Amino acid sequence: SQEASGQGKAASGPAPRRSSPGSGDLQMAFPLPPGGVVEVGAHWIHGPSQGNPVFQLAAEYGLLGEKELSKENQLVETGGHVGLPSVCCTSSGARVSLELVAEMASLFYGLIDQTREFLHATETPVPSVGEYLKKEISQQVTGWTENEETRKLKLAILNTFFHVECCLSGTHSMDLVALAPFGEYTVLPGLDCTFSGGYQELTNCIMASLPKDVMIFNMPVKTIHWNGSFREGTFPGEAFPVLVECEDGSRLPAHHVIVTVPLGFLKEQQNTFFDPPLPAEKAEAIRKIGFGTNNKIFLEFEEPFWEPDCQLIQVVWEDTSPLQDTAPSMQDAWFKKLIGFLVLPPFGSVHVLCGFIAGLESEFMETLSDEEVLLSLTQVLRRVTGNPQLPAPKSVLRSCWHSAPFTRGSYSYVAVGSTGDDIDQLAQPLPVDDSSTQLQILFAGEATHRTFYSTTHGALLSGWREADRLIGLWDLQSQQPRPRL
Ligand SMILES: Cc1cc2nc3c(=O)[nH]c(=O)nc-3n(C[C@H](O)[C@H](O)[C@H](O)COP(=O)(O)OP(=O)(O)OC[C@H]3O[C@@H](n4cnc5c(N)ncnc54)[C@H](O)[C@@H]3O)c2cc1C
Ligand SMILES: *[C@@H]1O[C@H](CO)[C@@H](O)[C@H](O)[C@H]1NC(C)=O
């Protein structure tokens, strides 16, 4: 795949990162000491164990430490759930007891585990994961015997867990995530781990194994012409079924193209990106599969205001409840969608928090300036710490995945009205009809993996799947007189 937006993997210091035209992101230098990396995109290997090819590759390349490689680490079953916070603060500056948070986490994640059981059911009680969770929670609430204040606090904590789940699914609301296929997403065992130098360590190793200069960067493709017979001067006498036309006018003839652009890009551009247009079933699958936004907001502090062993600061907005439908209120309340802050391991004297925010509020955040975001989050932190004098962060850096023209969102989910079959439909190579013509356009990328969508290992496996498909066809060619090539 080609990194057209330049928004790829990680921002690493100390050099200010170049930002490509139109990416609208990473404009601001974020000075980190050498070796310090923050990831605006993927950060963890989810489920680092034998069944995870990203883990396998990282291990082969020697990029993981002893702890990450240990059997013990590989055997941890998290169920894909986020660990408990180190502290939980409310919007009025109170600390929530971690027992109460743990109680709500176990209720919430117990219900999430139940949702997976509808995979093979013939019917679901409600269409979405969100509605199912709310239905179950409203039943539970009737049995709560605490005082009014505690009951309200419990709902507010649950509201934060809904927002965490929106980040994981990359969606505005869990009401948009289909219940029946939710269990098809597969969580691998292993305690999520990271690359000390960022995911780029892995992509650098992969690239080093390729011949020099085969990768072209910053060359956006405008249109993929297919079902044709294209003759280009560089290959006299040969006709190609596919012609890749780039925005700068370059034309690359090809026998086959593996398309790995994000689903968000396809949703917006499919009509002009393919000529002739995609068959109706594929166009429909692109419309139906969900693709939303999850963003990160990094804040750099002069001094940490958190305890040295603090890993995750959860934020709970008082008087919120998952059972109350509120219209997203943007200007004054977008930041209430923020789930809290991850504490990044300190590098040298640099102290960084990473906030996560999903959905329409996240997309609204992208329209604000860095200064506005910094100001709003400073106010949030002053509220939740109860310290009106808390020094403002030194700098802010955030992802803007929805505005990024070559991404248009974060990752895919199975939306209400779609199923895993739509993922397979998206992955189907073209043309589908005529077995005498060769395969022309193949599809890979996270959104084409039925059980590992939204992850780097899903993306990697999908690329290998399509590479193997082509290798298989070329093998056939050498053995048979009339190959489907
Ligand atoms: C905030 C965030 C956090 C994440 N965290 C994790 C995590 O911790 N662990 C994990 O496993 N996954 C994580 N993911 C998901 C992971 O990043 C994706 O699943 C994975 O990168 C998808 O790979 P891909 O190759 O399908 O698509 P991408 O990585 O999006 O690559 C597609 C490429 O196509 C290029 N492109 C688009 N249009 C064109 C065009 N017209 N011409 C040429 N090139 C084009 C894009 O610029 C891009 O480089 C995260 C994602 C986000 C957004
Ligand atoms: C591909 O070309 C053939 C022959 O010209 C035509 O019959 C067919 O409809 C084309 N397919 C698409 C998807 O345009």
Side-chain angles (χ1 to χ4, degrees), residues 3 71 76 108-110 168 195 271 294 460 464 482 484:
E3 193 179 285
K71 272 271 155 312
V76 176
F108 186 82
Y109 290 122
L168 293 179
F195 296 90
N271 288 335
N294 175 27
L460 180 61
W464 285 350
R482 260 194 104 242
R484 182 174 142 82

Side-chain angles (χ1 to χ4, degrees), residues 177-206:
V177 180
L179 178 56
F182 194 59
E184 202 154 23
Y185 176 84
T186 305
V187 177
L188 294 169
L191 187 63
D192 289 5
C193 65
T194 61
F195 296 90
S196 54
Y199 252 99
Q200 64 192 4
E201 290 187 331
L202 181 66
T203 47
N204 287 346
C205 285
I206 295 174

Side-chain angles (χ1 to χ4, degrees), residues 123-434:
E123 251 182 274
T124 60
V126 287
S128 71
V129 174
E131 288 157 289
Y132 178 76
L133 296 172
K134 289 189 282 188
K135 185 170 75 70
E136 294 296 311
I137 288 169
S138 47
Q139 276 171 20
Q140 298 257 345
V141 169
T142 57
W144 288 354
T145 53
E146 299 93 336
N147 60 31
E148 167 86 14
E149 199 188 342
T150 309
R151 292 203 310 264
K152 280 176 75 178
L153 181 58
K154 284 167 91 168
L155 284 169
I157 300 169
L158 286 171
N159 202 52
T160 296
F161 282 117
F162 272 78
H163 292 172
V164 171
E165 207 58 30
C166 287
C167 287
L168 293 179
S169 284
T171 185
H172 173 62
S173 161
M174 292 310 289
D175 292 1
L176 301 174
V177 180
L179 178 56
F182 194 59
E184 202 154 23
Y185 176 84
T186 305
V187 177
L188 294 169
L191 187 63
D192 289 5
C193 65
T194 61
F195 296 90
S196 54
Y199 252 99
Q200 64 192 4
E201 290 187 331
L202 181 66
T203 47
N204 287 346
C205 285
I206 295 174
M207 281 212 296
S209 71
L210 297 174
K212 245 181 139 150
D213 301 326
V214 295
M215 302 271 295
I216 310 172
F217 292 100
N218 298 306
M219 172 98 95
V221 171
K222 185 171 166 226
T223 302
I224 298 171
H225 304 274
W226 59 291
N227 199 37
S229 180
F230 301 100
R231 287 167 196 282
E232 282 295 299
T234 28
F235 300 92
E238 199 173 353
F240 295 87
V242 185
L243 182 73
V244 176
E245 181 192 347
C246 299
E247 279 181 6
D248 72 354
S250 326
R251 293 154 67 87
L252 311 168
H255 293 109
H256 318 278
V257 173
I258 302 180
V259 175
T260 71
V261 299
L263 178 62
F265 177 87
L266 284 181
K267 279 180 184 283
E268 186 182 66
Q269 303 285 340
Q270 63 157 311
N271 288 335
T272 53
F273 198 60
F274 299 99
D275 168 35
L278 297 175
E281 313 78 64
K282 182 153 332 243
E284 187 62 14
I286 289 171
R287 275 191 290 274
K288 277 158 72 179
I289 304 170
F291 197 79
T293 305
N294 175 27
N295 275 314
K296 299 182 179 181
I297 309 176
F298 297 96
L299 300 174
E300 187 197 352
F301 291 85
E302 204 80 59
E303 294 293 334
F305 62 82
W306 51 91
E307 300 293 316
D309 57 350
C310 180
Q311 292 183 339
L312 183 64
I313 303 169
Q314 191 176 52
V315 172
V316 167
W317 291 90
E318 282 173 359
D319 297 318
T320 60
S321 161
L323 304 181
Q324 268 158 12
D325 278 325
T326 47
S329 48
M330 294 305 175
Q331 191 68 56
D332 305 323
W334 63 269
F335 43 81
K336 291 195 183 180
K337 193 69 168 268
L338 197 89
I339 62 169
F341 298 90
L342 187 75
V343 180
L344 298 192
F347 8 84
S349 59
V350 181
H351 306 281
V352 179
L353 295 183
C354 174
F356 291 84
I357 182 167
L360 295 173
E361 292 84 351
S362 192
E363 293 168 15
F364 177 78
M365 179 278 294
E366 295 186 18
T367 67
L368 301 174
S369 68
D370 282 337
E371 291 70 27
E372 287 172 296
V373 171
L374 189 135
L375 186 69
S376 291
L377 292 196
T378 303
Q379 283 163 354
V380 167
L381 286 169
R382 287 180 179 161
R383 279 180 73 166
V384 303
T385 56
N387 175 7
Q389 260 81 54
L390 189 84
K394 251 168 81 169
S395 63
V396 60
L397 174 86
R398 64 205 156 115
S399 59
C400 290
W401 290 111
H402 181 72
S403 350
F406 297 108
T407 317
R408 307 299 277 134
S410 297
Y411 34 80
S412 62
Y413 61 92
V414 183
V416 170
S418 67
T419 68
D421 289 347
D422 293 309
I423 298 177
D424 288 345
Q425 172 58 245
L426 178 61
Q428 192 71 38
L430 296 175
V432 272
D433 45 343
D434 183 356

